[in-house]
Amino acid sequence: MTTHISSTTYQCPVCSAPAQDQTLTDSCHLLPAGSTTSTELILKTCVQPVALREFLEESSAEDPCQHCLHHELIEDAGTFIAMKQLGEREWGEIHQCPNCNTRYIVSSAIAK
């Protein structure tokens, strides 16, 4: 695999596939498999529906799902692999293209 410095387009320099950002998704193990997640369904299956409703309506209380045994936080790193120091004050994001497996660096000087 070849390491490339990408252009300002923030995409794979070989096949032009766009870099993908990290995503975080909340999941509840109590929800039926394959169901479409809705607030109503979550409140029906939640073990702390009153606290969850307060959190959703006020957004100032602590998220009751954060400490629940049925809660799972799913992290998808996207194409990002790691950071690399390129110079004294310059860092680069190392990405791996999902299409062609090329690893490339997006410099902090040109990133997003």
Side-chain angles (χ1 to χ4, degrees):
M1 287 184 235
T2 307
T3 301
H4 299 271
I5 302 295
S6 80
S7 67
T8 56
T9 55
Y10 207 50
Q11 63 189 18
C12 176
V14 175
C15 72
S16 300
Q20 298 167 1
D21 287 332
Q22 174 190 36
T23 58
L24 295 174
T25 307
D26 290 293
S27 178
C28 179
H29 294 291
L30 294 178
L31 294 173
S35 65
T36 304
T37 305
S38 68
T39 304
E40 286 181 29
L41 181 58
I42 292 171
L43 288 169
K44 285 180 185 177
T45 58
C46 183
V47 294
Q48 300 180 58
V50 174
L52 181 58
R53 184 176 299 281
E54 288 175 3
F55 172 74
L56 294 173
E57 290 174 356
E58 297 173 17
S59 204
S60 60
E62 183 178 356
D63 183 355
C65 298
Q66 186 176 2
H67 303 290
C68 181
L69 297 173
H70 306 107
H71 178 255
E72 180 180 10
L73 189 61
I74 303 166
E75 180 180 359
D76 178 2
T79 57
F80 175 79
I81 296 175
M83 295 295 290
K84 179 179 182 179
Q85 189 164 7
L86 303 175
E88 187 177 320
R89 294 185 178 168
E90 183 180 4
W91 286 82
E93 294 181 1
I94 300 173
H95 289 259
Q96 183 166 346
C97 179
N99 294 339
C100 66
N101 289 323
T102 300
R103 286 189 182 197
Y104 59 98
I105 297 174
V106 177
S107 168
S108 59
I110 60 173
K112 295 185 188 178

